[in-house]
Amino acid sequence: MSKRIALVTGATSGIGLATAKVLADNNFDLIACGRRKERLEQLKQELTKVCHVHTLCFDVRDKSEVTNAISSLPTEWRQVDVLINNAGNAHGLSPIDKGDVDDWDAMIDINVKGLLYVSKAVMPGMVERKSGHIVNIGSIAGKEVYSNGNVYCASKHAVDAINNGMRMDLNPYGIKVTAINPGLVETEFSLVRFKGDENKANQVYSGIKPLTPGDIAETILFVVTRPAHVNVSDLIIFPTAQASSTIVNRS
Ligand code: NDP
Ligand code: 8X3
């Protein structure tokens, strides 16, 4: 295997799935991660035509599952060149006093602690080799807080801080660290946030042309293929109809 290896979390859906496909088409071998095994197998079948694919099925909330999965990588897969920390979601959209504590746990455990666990397992190899690139998928919710977004916004503000801290601490090793902060992207995100309520999920994207997962995947491809001396450190990407978390020009 002579291509660069990218490990993508949340490769079973949305931004992660599109990123896996775009990287596979552009000279990367892939470690595709997620909880939904059948989707990982389907992706492997599809991408095996263009690159080597290894799948890892684990829940980012479970520290030992994460460690065991990543330390189970066969020798030829151990050198992770690019880590895409993408797995994440919002759970609920309620005023803070009405919020569901289980939703809060899920967002902090997946979006923040899960990202840390995966990074902890991958970073030592990058540090040892003095090379690598970590791309953290944040959100506009990590730059602005919006009504009822409270804990999701907090989790993405934490990703923003972790991203900046990583860039500082990994700087001596020549490791690149990038945050990609999208606005509205149509994926399974809102279906998960509204617990399967399709009407509510569709309303989020009504009257606008939202970003597609492919738009974000192409941006990720751009940042991970810059020359060695270039690090894109922090990007916000909106659909044209969106100017901030709350300013959205709907027809
Ligand atoms: P999707 O719901 O389509 O995808 C989420 C992915 O995360 C799935 O592959 C899912 O895989 C994985 N995931 C969720 N929970 C876990 C878990 N506990 N363990 C392992 N994997 C998990 O949403 P998006 O593609 O939109 O979201 C991807 C990232 O983009 C998230 O971090 C989200 O916060 C961020 N984002 C999304 C925006 C949007 O508008 N869609 C805007 C800004 C940021 P599986 O269920 O198989 O485990
Ligand atoms: C997803 C975008 O605006 O729904 O992070 O929080 S938003």
Side-chain angles (χ1 to χ4, degrees):
M1 299 200 314
S2 57
K3 296 174 172 183
R4 282 200 289 164
I5 294 176
L7 186 153
V8 182
T9 66
T12 55
S13 171
I15 293 169
L17 176 61
T19 302
K21 291 181 178 177
V22 165
L23 293 180
D25 281 338
N26 285 277
N27 230 20
F28 281 85
D29 286 325
L30 271 183
I31 303 170
C33 310
R35 289 167 303 177
R36 285 171 285 183
K37 201 169 185 175
E38 317 75 59
R39 289 201 187 189
L40 289 175
E41 284 310 313
Q42 205 181 327
L43 181 66
K44 182 173 180 172
Q45 261 191 9
E46 185 184 335
L47 297 187
T48 297
K49 294 167 200 137
V50 288
C51 72
H52 295 102
V53 182
H54 188 85
T55 59
L56 290 178
C57 191
F58 62 87
D59 186 328
V60 298
R61 282 174 295 196
D62 187 321
K63 209 186 310 187
S64 46
E65 264 190 39
V66 173
T67 316
N68 292 340
I70 293 175
S71 57
S72 78
L73 284 170
T75 320
E76 66 273 25
W77 285 100
R78 292 248 161 113
Q79 181 176 321
V80 175
D81 299 294
V82 174
L83 165 62
I84 314 286
N85 272 323
N86 164 76
N89 264 135
H91 294 266
L93 183 70
S94 310
I96 191 112
D97 56 304
K98 311 260 180 332
D100 180 323
V101 175
D102 291 336
D103 284 344
W104 295 352
D105 280 343
M107 291 184 279
I108 301 292
D109 289 350
I110 298 169
N111 302 353
V112 184
K113 291 166 71 181
L115 179 147
L116 286 169
Y117 296 157
V118 174
S119 303
K120 178 73 180 165
V122 171
M123 284 184 296
M126 292 184 171
V127 167
E128 198 181 310
R129 293 188 302 275
K130 291 194 164 51
S131 78
H133 194 161
I134 300 177
V135 179
N136 294 310
I137 308 303
S139 169
I140 187 57
K143 302 287 186 183
E144 302 172 19
V145 177
Y146 53 86
S147 290
N148 301 333
N150 41 66
V151 177
Y152 178 67
C153 295
S155 75
K156 289 298 182 176
H157 275 68
V159 172
D160 191 48
I162 291 166
N163 182 71
N164 290 331
M166 269 185 185
R167 191 180 319 102
M168 292 169 195
D169 297 347
L170 299 178
N171 172 269
Y173 307 104
I175 297 168
K176 298 186 188 188
V177 180
T178 300
I180 304 282
N181 301 289
L184 294 161
V185 190
E186 192 162 12
T187 63
E188 294 177 13
F189 177 87
S190 293
L191 261 185
V192 173
R193 170 169 252 176
F194 297 118
K195 304 179 195 312
D197 184 329
E198 288 187 14
N199 278 339
K200 275 192 180 171
N202 291 337
Q203 275 168 31
V204 174
Y205 313 107
S206 74
I208 62 158
K209 184 167 171 45
L211 294 168
T212 65
D215 294 324
I216 305 302
E218 281 172 24
T219 309
I220 292 171
L221 175 66
F222 175 81
V223 308
V224 300
T225 52
R226 291 311 84 212
H229 68 288
V230 178
N231 179 42
V232 180
S233 61
D234 204 340
L235 277 181
I236 294 177
I237 310 166
F238 284 132
T240 305
Q242 183 174 16
S244 75
S245 275
T246 50
I247 301 174
V248 182
N249 183 15
R250 297 184 195 269
S251 59

